[in-house]
Amino acid sequence: MLGRKLRREIGRQKGQIGAVLVVMALGISLFVGSYAGYLDLDASYARSQRELRLADVHVDVVRATAADVARVAGLPGVEAAEGRVVVSLPLVVPGADRADGGAGSVKVEARFIGLPGEGQPDHDRVFVQRGDLPGADDEVLLEFHFAEGHRISPGDTLEVPLPGRTAALKVAGIAASAEYLWVARDAQDFMPGPQEFGVVWMRRDGIRTLAEALAPLPPPLGLGLALAGTAGGSAHATAVAAEAGASNQVLYMLAEGADPAAVKAAAGEALGEGNALASTSRDQLVGVRLLQMDVDGLRDMAGFFPVMFLAVGAFIVAALLSRLVDAQRPLIGTMLALGVPRRRVLGHYLSFSLGVGAAGSVLGALGGIALGALLTREYARELRIPFVSVEVRPGLVASGIGIGLLVALLAGLGPARRAAAIPPAEAVRPSAPPVGRGLTLFRHVGAGLPVPVRMGLRNLVRHPGRAAATAAGVAASLMLVLTTSALVDSMDRGIDLQFQEAMRYDLRADLLLPQPAEDLGGRVAGIPGAAVMETVLSLPVRLSAGGRHQDSLLHGVPRGASLLRSVDFDGVERMPRAGGVVIGRPVATKLGLAVGDPVDVSLLPSGTPRRLRVDAVSDTTLGGFTVMGLEDARGAFGLGGLSNTVLVGLASPGDREAVRAALQELPGVLRLHDVASVRVELGRMMGLAYAMVGAMLAFSVVLAAAILFNTATLAILERQRELATMRAIGRPMGSIAAMITFENGLLGLLGLVAGLPLSVWAIREALALYSSDLFSLPFVLTARTFGIAALGVVLVLLVAEWPGLRQVARMNLAEVVRSREG
Amino acid sequence: MTETDPAHVIETRGLIKIYRMGPTEVRALDGVDLDVRRGEYLSIMGPSGSGKSTLMNMLGCLDSPTEGSYRLDGVEVSGLTDAELAAVRNRKIGFVFQTFNLLPRYTAQVNVELPLLYSGASRAERRRRAHEALQTVGLGDRTDHRPNELSGGQRQRVALARALVNDPAILLADEPTGNLDTRVGQEILRLFDELHAQGRTVVVVTHDPEVAARAERVVRVVDGRIVEDGPGARFARTASPAPVDGPGAG
Ligand SMILES: Nc1ncnc2c1ncn2[C@@H]1O[C@H](COP(=O)(O)OP(=O)(O)O)[C@@H](O)[C@H]1O
Ligand SMILES: [Mg+2]
């Protein structure tokens, strides 16, 4: 009987119940799917790291001998240790048929990682996907991003330019590694394209042969320091690589229960004073961190959106049920008078909300299982995760359903309890149940205004709850839509700032060693198509203050530089004065630095610290660069007249290939950096982010529409009788519609006013969530975005009146006015 | 405590009901003592706002008194829990409301079956008894009609059938003819007469002297007190009702 009544109710409220089902099902599938995806991927990464024995700690060292490594291995708390060489060398991919559509040979920076003479290393093993491990000293194994970017297959040949000759290297195989599932060169350059950077494994002896051939290069003015990149990419590293048995990286595994900090200190001591440069724990490796951030994004999504969806679902369920209870008050009273126990009334309305919740949850759980599997499969395929671990998680599915039911239960509890508390005497009272006492305070609201306006205003204050619900619905809708659209604006602006304002060159050539700027400039000026040229210094440095350190890339740029500038999120250029530096926000935060503070800057790996002054702290999209005047930097680091980086602006995009080719033929060029390909790479990454935000925007629009339709429809249905009575006494439908529109317009305005600060807050929260020391975005909220979102919300609100008004127009007036019972 | 008289189906002593609305108090019932014999046809009369409906709500266990005692069929009702009160309403009381209070969109048959649903009767039993009750009120041929397919008088007869289906100890009606025109009202009142003749206890609340006159006993309520208690006009056309000036009358 009650069940039948329930079914009828469901039949009558198809639209709204459909909305709740969609919203709840989306919420639960997002929860189950993203969380399952998160757990699977997290487990897959962990499993890949375990299977491939990714070292717990990577220590970059100036130089370690076999005896140094043995000392580390013998430390208490160290389970195993191993030394290896990591060195950056230029690598030429001949006649490349590049995945980016370009052609012709390309010179890239290849990070050569040493392998033992036979088989796999003990730590940081490789997962060979095609071909084999190198079988000879002149064979290499390529990291798969690099191989795919150049369409290289096992059996192809690559070249390393050496003084006076080239060394031909045969590709033995293609592999993935746990360290480079996300290929990052370093924290500053965390998404280099395959046209610039690649990871290559080679037997230790093969690397020694190459390094020996390069070693006769004169050390720059006796400095012997790393200048063209971090520890791996340096003349110094080349020198270490040329030395049999020497390493510049020590990897170790912690023993069970060891204290990482204590072991780190002991290892530093064992390796000798000043020898250990940086000690990076496994989860702090740049590539690992970025993957983790990516996966954590999934987890956050598993939290944020389901909460939004379920909150909206709960809101709709509660509103629906409230309305139902209000409409059925006399009925409930009659049932109670006839002796129906209160708990049955409670149960009846709860079963209504639970039924909706159960249907939504089960649908959502099914969708979630599919979504989770899809996410894991796509990620695993895209990233070539070597060891994928997919689990069926009945517990997660059950919690998804449980959460859905709980939300439905909580949403239904209020109205259901209200229903069960109706005094049975209510049934006997022939008058209509009392509605909204209103705020007597506002009894005289609108006095002196035209009657229709006054009536509209009074209607609002007479039902403050209903008015507040509609305004809150508008505010929430605005917040949802505005936050996601503003995120798109922020991404666009952040990228524009980085590539149109800060990095204004088209091509950059990094040299293995600094060269006299004048010679360099003369050579580049002779390249046809190179319209603008600047020579700068790019130095890996360590910033220290208050006992804390942060490694960064320092750019020494000429005064009035036009190709590489430090531009803040507000679009203003921030350049240092003499003796000063401009640092990035993440560095400032990490070291606790403010403008005017002193900071010690030393060249990596082991230069003498220079005391400089913080002239500005700059918010930038990518990483924490440090900027200094060129002459200042030359003076501070003893590099008078030298530059190690050339920036080139092209006369026209058509000259790109020719200028590239000429630049990579310049003597001493380690790597070419092509902004166009960075933009391609960034576009690929941003494509994913845009897709994500796009999905979020679509969700927000669905949610906003659901909120608005429900608030607007219910607000009309709640006063159906009142409106029908108005019609009965001769008020035309058009006038009723105008009154409702006026009220909704007013509430919409109120909601927009309340929603704006809410949105600003939410945008800031969202930006904070997505920013890190690697990447951050400016706060952007344009009048245009606000206008479109506000207009959209108000339009939907007005359209949302229609179903309710249509119902009022179709009502059988005689029935309604005669009696509320059939 | 007075001894329970087994002949009394209703016994109230010092019934007080106070409604509080913010700072103001409304004394809707102000010490009502009322005994109703089994099989009696009683009407409660009084001007609007005098407390008739409130008294009826107390008698029907729809609401609890602020003070006083109420024995229904020998059982003290004021100490019962909400669930027990629901069971009492279900088994001992049949209600007829001014506004009929039928479930729209359900047939007369289903509406009448409703009270049986909560007293554990089988499906077949429910059908049979509901049909019988509908026949009693002369609607044996309208069982499949929905309320909006019935006239006002027919709707009230469905409500009466619903009140009777559980064979209650008392039949309570609050302004049963209030929403009906005179002729149709008369039909309903004739049904009440018949039910009384069959030995049922009937309590009708009304402000209409014509309606009250059909009862064998009339109780007049003013300002929450019983001011008169005497035979109905039909039974004592010549005798004027005896004034009441103290508790324990009847
Ligand atoms: N639920 C209630 N809340 C507050 N006051 C009430 C309520 N029900 C009745 N009253 C008041 O109690 C008094 C008696 O009402 P009622 O019993 O309905 O009178 P009658 O049925 O004789 O017209 C009236 O003054 C009425 O306003
Ligand atoms: Mg009344």
Side-chain angles (χ1 to χ4, degrees):
Chain A
M1 170 72 213
L2 282 173
R4 220 162 100 197
K5 208 161 136 238
L6 198 65
R7 278 198 294 281
R8 271 169 203 265
E9 288 311 335
I10 289 174
R12 281 180 65 221
Q13 318 269 345
K14 266 191 238 84
Q16 273 115 334
I17 287 175
V20 184
L21 283 183
V22 168
V23 166
M24 298 257 311
L26 273 175
I28 299 293
S29 28
L30 280 174
F31 169 72
V32 172
S34 332
Y35 209 73
Y38 161 72
L39 291 174
D40 279 347
L41 287 171
D42 205 45
S44 299
Y45 294 147
R47 184 167 160 224
S48 301
Q49 293 178 359
R50 208 169 44 242
E51 302 265 353
L52 295 175
R53 285 186 58 76
L54 184 62
D56 284 332
V57 181
H58 288 67
V59 189
D60 291 321
V61 294
V62 178
R63 179 178 167 275
T65 60
D68 293 328
V69 175
R71 258 199 310 284
V72 173
L75 289 172
V78 173
E79 187 196 273
E82 187 178 25
R84 69 176 188 182
V85 286
V86 177
V87 61
S88 278
L89 299 173
L91 182 67
V92 175
V93 183
D97 164 25
R98 288 168 359 222
D100 72 348
S105 76
V106 196
K107 196 185 212 176
V108 296
E109 175 188 352
R111 178 170 292 174
F112 280 77
I113 299 176
L115 290 174
E118 286 296 331
Q120 292 265 10
D122 186 28
H123 300 84
D124 290 17
R125 293 180 179 166
V126 290
F127 183 78
V128 180
Q129 295 168 325
R130 289 171 66 197
D132 283 304
L133 283 170
D137 282 359
D138 64 349
E139 289 186 1
V140 287
L141 184 68
L142 303 188
E143 199 278 328
F144 76 88
H145 290 92
F146 181 61
E148 275 175 19
H150 294 278
R151 304 202 174 127
I152 304 172
S153 298
D156 291 352
T157 304
L158 308 175
E159 290 165 0
V160 174
L162 297 172
R165 66 184 177 101
T166 57
L169 305 177
K170 190 178 147 231
V171 177
I174 291 162
S177 96
E179 188 182 0
Y180 293 104
L181 279 178
W182 181 306
V183 180
R185 197 164 74 96
D186 52 46
Q188 277 76 39
D189 189 9
F190 56 80
M191 43 179 192
Q195 285 71 48
E196 298 174 26
F197 180 80
V199 176
V200 173
W201 289 270
M202 195 179 188
R203 287 186 177 178
R204 175 70 179 85
D205 284 345
I207 295 180
R208 184 168 50 83
T209 310
L210 296 176
E212 271 171 354
L214 283 164
L217 279 175
L221 308 170
L223 273 173
L225 296 181
L227 293 179
T230 41
S234 68
H236 174 77
T238 314
V240 173
E243 194 188 324
S247 304
N248 64 346
Q249 204 169 53
V250 176
L251 318 180
Y252 64 83
M253 287 288 187
L254 290 166
E256 192 128 326
D259 171 15
V263 174
K264 179 184 167 184
E269 224 166 277
L271 289 165
E273 173 74 32
N275 195 9
L277 299 170
S279 175
T280 313
S281 62
R282 189 177 53 206
D283 54 1
Q284 287 302 311
L285 291 169
V286 177
V288 171
R289 265 185 72 195
L290 284 160
L291 270 189
Q292 194 61 47
M293 276 162 63
D294 196 45
V295 184
D296 289 350
L298 260 184
R299 186 197 52 201
D300 294 340
M301 195 143 131
F304 178 71
F305 268 92
V307 167
M308 293 305 288
F309 274 87
L310 292 178
V312 171
F315 169 79
I316 300 175
V317 167
L320 256 176
L321 210 55
S322 273
R323 175 177 167 266
L324 208 63
V325 169
D326 282 342
Q328 297 185 340
R329 274 182 88 84
L331 215 69
I332 297 164
T334 306
M335 299 287 260
L336 288 167
L338 294 178
V340 177
R342 287 188 192 279
R343 63 192 143 73
R344 289 197 79 138
V345 173
L346 187 80
H348 166 65
Y349 289 100
L350 278 185
S351 65
F352 175 83
S353 76
L354 278 177
V356 172
S361 302
V362 170
L363 276 177
L366 292 177
I369 294 170
L371 178 68
L374 183 81
L375 271 174
T376 308
R377 208 177 52 227
E378 287 304 306
Y379 259 86
R381 203 175 61 186
E382 181 71 20
L383 295 175
R384 305 294 194 299
I385 304 175
F387 298 94
V388 179
S389 142
V390 182
E391 251 185 76
V392 182
R393 295 190 163 77
L396 179 62
V397 173
S399 3
I401 294 177
I403 289 171
L405 287 177
L406 189 70
V407 166
L409 185 74
L410 290 178
L413 206 56
R417 286 174 55 143
R418 214 150 49 75
I422 287 173
E426 186 102 6
V428 194
R429 206 171 299 152
S431 58
V435 270
R437 258 164 298 153
L439 302 176
T440 42
L441 193 64
F442 296 109
R443 202 168 9 212
H444 303 292
V445 73
L449 291 173
V451 174
V453 176
R454 201 163 66 206
M455 265 183 78
L457 285 175
R458 288 210 174 143
N459 276 336
L460 298 188
V461 294
R462 204 151 50 94
H463 304 282
R466 190 164 71 201
T470 306
V474 170
S477 301
L478 181 75
M479 187 186 91
L480 277 168
V481 176
L482 205 52
T483 305
T484 37
S485 348
L487 231 45
V488 176
D489 286 349
S490 292
M491 278 160 59
D492 286 345
R493 177 80 180 130
I495 289 173
D496 273 1
L497 277 172
Q498 191 67 35
F499 291 101
Q500 247 103 70
E501 302 293 325
M503 295 163 57
R504 301 210 285 192
Y505 54 87
D506 294 301
L507 293 165
R508 187 183 86 206
D510 293 323
L511 310 179
L512 193 56
L513 299 169
Q515 296 178 13
E518 239 163 86
D519 303 354
L520 195 59
R523 277 196 290 267
V524 176
I527 299 175
V532 206
M533 189 272 304
E534 279 169 16
T535 59
V536 302
L537 276 174
S538 298
L539 306 169
V541 295
R542 169 163 294 181
L543 295 109
S544 316
R548 279 171 293 185
H549 314 290
Q550 174 65 45
D551 293 349
S552 165
L553 190 65
L554 181 139
H555 291 303
V557 298
R559 211 142 297 285
S562 61
L563 295 182
L564 181 60
R565 310 184 306 155
S566 169
V567 180
D568 208 349
F569 275 163
D570 54 14
V572 176
E573 184 181 280
R574 303 238 188 284
M575 298 297 264
R577 288 170 287 124
V581 288
V582 174
I583 58 175
R585 176 77 54 201
V587 175
T589 309
K590 172 127 189 246
L591 300 182
L593 287 173
V595 173
D597 288 350
V599 56
D600 291 328
V601 182
S602 60
L603 279 186
L604 283 171
S606 49
T608 322
R610 312 284 168 189
R611 175 141 305 186
L612 299 167
R613 180 189 65 245
V614 177
D615 276 352
V617 175
S618 178
D619 285 297
T620 53
T621 308
L622 293 182
F625 290 97
T626 303
V627 177
M628 200 175 170
L630 177 61
E631 286 313 319
D632 232 19
R634 284 173 171 163
F637 303 112
L639 296 166
L642 299 178
S643 288
N644 66 344
T645 293
V646 186
L647 309 176
V648 175
L650 293 172
S652 90
D655 298 329
R656 181 176 302 276
E657 288 299 326
V659 176
R660 271 187 74 122
L663 277 177
Q664 72 183 24
E665 288 316 312
L666 291 180
V669 167
L670 171 66
R671 169 184 66 208
L672 271 192
H673 183 85
D674 187 339
V675 171
S677 75
V678 174
R679 289 208 79 152
V680 169
E681 204 58 29
L682 194 69
R684 213 168 53 87
M685 187 179 123
M686 286 314 236
L688 218 74
Y690 277 124
M692 225 39 177
V693 174
M696 279 157 58
L697 187 60
F699 288 156
S700 303
V701 169
V702 169
L703 279 181
I707 296 175
L708 294 174
F709 264 90
N710 276 280
T711 34
T713 312
L714 290 184
I716 294 173
L717 293 186
E718 259 177 32
R719 51 203 284 209
Q720 214 169 22
R721 280 178 59 76
E722 178 192 330
L723 297 178
T725 308
M726 283 184 186
R727 282 191 58 210
I729 60 175
R731 187 163 180 181
M733 203 50 217
S735 157
I736 291 177
M739 178 186 76
I740 298 276
T741 305
F742 172 74
E743 287 177 31
N744 278 340
L746 218 59
L747 289 174
L749 221 58
L750 203 71
L752 293 182
V753 168
L756 185 57
L758 211 62
S759 307
V760 169
W761 170 82
I763 295 167
R764 289 201 186 282
E765 286 296 303
L767 288 178
L769 193 71
Y770 282 100
S771 72
S772 66
D773 55 335
L774 300 175
F775 188 80
S776 61
L777 288 172
F779 174 91
V780 181
L781 178 54
T782 61
R784 183 168 157 272
T785 302
F786 174 75
I788 292 174
L791 200 70
V793 165
V794 171
L795 278 182
V796 172
L797 180 69
L798 296 184
V799 169
E801 294 173 3
W802 278 113
L805 283 178
R806 212 180 45 189
Q807 205 158 328
V808 171
R810 282 185 185 164
M811 247 175 341
N812 182 341
L813 293 185
E815 272 300 313
V816 176
V817 178
R818 187 163 45 167
S819 148
R820 67 171 164 271
E821 276 69 46
Chain B
M1 262 290 142
T2 27
E3 272 299 298
T4 307
D5 184 338
H8 291 167
V9 66
I10 288 172
E11 276 186 14
T12 78
R13 292 293 176 272
L15 224 47
I16 294 177
K17 179 66 182 180
I18 298 171
Y19 290 113
R20 285 194 179 78
M21 296 189 73
T24 55
E25 268 189 7
V26 178
R27 228 165 226 274
L29 292 183
D30 193 9
V32 171
D33 302 332
L34 179 67
D35 292 343
V36 179
R37 276 182 294 104
R38 221 172 280 283
E40 200 166 20
Y41 185 177
L42 173 80
S43 79
I44 299 172
M45 268 203 73
S48 181
S50 57
K52 304 182 297 291
S53 292
T54 306
L55 178 55
M56 153 100 175
N57 290 349
M58 299 301 137
L59 297 182
C61 299
L62 291 176
D63 207 346
S64 309
T66 313
E67 258 179 60
S69 91
Y70 172 27
R71 276 171 196 272
L72 173 63
D73 216 9
V75 177
E76 177 61 55
V77 164
S78 51
L80 298 185
T81 64
D82 198 72
E84 287 165 336
L85 282 178
V88 167
R89 285 198 296 270
N90 190 247
R91 302 221 178 84
K92 303 213 166 157
I93 297 162
F95 285 104
V96 177
F97 304 110
Q98 177 177 352
T99 47
F100 323 141
N101 295 32
L102 300 178
L103 296 192
R105 293 181 295 278
Y106 291 94
T107 61
Q109 172 80 29
V110 171
N111 264 290
V112 175
E113 276 183 35
L114 205 58
L116 296 173
L117 220 54
Y118 306 102
S119 60
S122 74
R123 199 182 147 80
E125 167 91 353
R126 290 202 306 263
R127 290 196 66 80
R128 186 183 57 75
R129 282 170 64 181
H131 193 74
E132 266 175 30
L134 280 166
Q135 273 174 332
T136 308
V137 298
L139 284 179
D141 56 342
R142 292 283 192 281
T143 53
D144 289 333
H145 286 57
R146 286 164 215 280
N148 61 356
E149 297 157 356
L150 296 169
S151 72
Q154 287 171 328
R155 289 180 203 182
Q156 192 60 305
R157 279 196 272 168
V158 174
L160 194 51
R162 183 180 65 186
L164 292 172
V165 76
N166 253 351
D167 194 19
I170 52 172
L171 195 63
L172 289 180
D174 191 357
E175 307 277 10
T177 58
N179 273 12
L180 301 173
D181 62 39
T182 321
R183 188 184 56 78
V184 178
Q186 292 293 329
E187 279 174 29
I188 296 294
L189 292 175
R190 260 199 298 282
L191 268 170
F192 277 82
D193 292 345
E194 276 172 34
L195 291 167
H196 171 232
Q198 286 162 21
R200 298 218 176 247
T201 314
V202 181
V203 178
V204 175
V205 166
T206 183
H207 68 281
D208 182 351
E210 291 269 336
V211 175
R214 317 221 16 160
E216 58 180 324
R217 176 181 162 205
V218 177
V219 163
R220 189 176 290 276
V221 178
V222 173
D223 288 342
R225 292 166 168 279
I226 293 179
V227 294
E228 264 181 48
D229 189 345
R234 190 148 64 101
F235 297 88
R237 224 166 266 284
T238 50
S240 62
V244 176
D245 50 11

